[in-house]
């Protein structure tokens, strides 16, 4: 009988110790984090150097095309005053010359954005990146070294 009482007392003490700790895991504070909701203003593609882009309703920009042939590309942080926040689907797909890309403001990378870029071995991602599309880096040396 003493062993049973001892176990019950131990369990009760453990519960008293753990409840305050576990209680802090669930916060009553509401998070003010939310993903941005953006809508394209139009389907019109505008051009800035080698970059084709579209404008969102909040003035930010999505790069939808790349026409250059440079080996090292820096996606601009802004185009025509709008912050570059997204790379569209297949923007750099099948680019055989691209070796390095730097994108410091991009939050979203579209599906197949760098698909089949056989020379792409160096990628600098934004600290604000929160979404990477399906197969965005498939068949690149960079992905092979980071998986």
């Amino acid at each position: 009988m003493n062993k049973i009482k001892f176990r019950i007392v131990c369990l009760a003490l453990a519960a008293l110790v753990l409840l305050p700790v576990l209680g802090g895991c669930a916060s009553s504070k509401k998070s003010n984090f939310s993903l941005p909701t953006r809508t394209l203003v139009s389907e019109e593609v505008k051009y800035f150097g080698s970059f084709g882009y579209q404008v969102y309703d909040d003035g930010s920009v999505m790069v939808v095309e790349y026409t250059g042939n440079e080996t090292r590309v820096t996606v601009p942080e802004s185009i025509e005053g709008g912050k570059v926040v997204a790379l569209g689907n297949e923007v750099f797909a099948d680019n055989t010359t691209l070796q390095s890309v730097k994108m410091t403001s991009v939050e979203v990378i579209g599906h197949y954005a760098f698909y089949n870029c056989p020379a792409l071995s160096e990628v600098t991602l934004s600290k604000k990146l929160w979404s990477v599309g399906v197969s965005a880096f498939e068949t690149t040396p960079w992905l092979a070294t980071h998986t």
Side-chain angles (χ1 to χ4, degrees), residues 1-8:
M1 200 63 124
N2 284 339
K3 285 184 181 181
I4 293 174
K5 286 182 182 179
F6 179 74
R7 286 182 183 170
I8 291 172

Side-chain angles (χ1 to χ4, degrees), residues 52-112:
Y53 68 96
Q54 292 176 308
V55 179
Y56 287 114
D57 56 354
D58 66 354
S60 60
V61 170
M62 172 173 57
V63 172
V64 295
E65 186 178 348
Y66 177 73
T67 60
N69 60 0
E70 291 85 4
T71 60
R72 302 178 75 74
V73 173
T74 298
V75 176
E77 289 191 16
S78 66
I79 294 177
E80 304 291 332
K83 183 178 176 184
V84 176
V85 296
L87 293 182
N89 298 338
E90 302 178 16
V91 175
F92 292 94
D94 299 316
N95 184 318
T96 57
T97 60
L98 184 63
Q99 296 175 9
S100 170
V101 65
K102 182 178 181 180
M103 45 195 149
T104 57
S105 64
V106 172
E107 299 171 7
V108 176
I109 298 175
H111 304 308
Y112 305 100

Side-chain angles (χ1 to χ4, degrees), residues 8-31:
I8 291 172
V9 170
C10 286
L11 286 173
L13 287 174
L16 287 174
V17 169
L18 289 176
L19 279 177
V21 173
L22 294 176
C25 292
S27 175
S28 61
K29 294 181 183 178
K30 289 189 175 185
S31 171

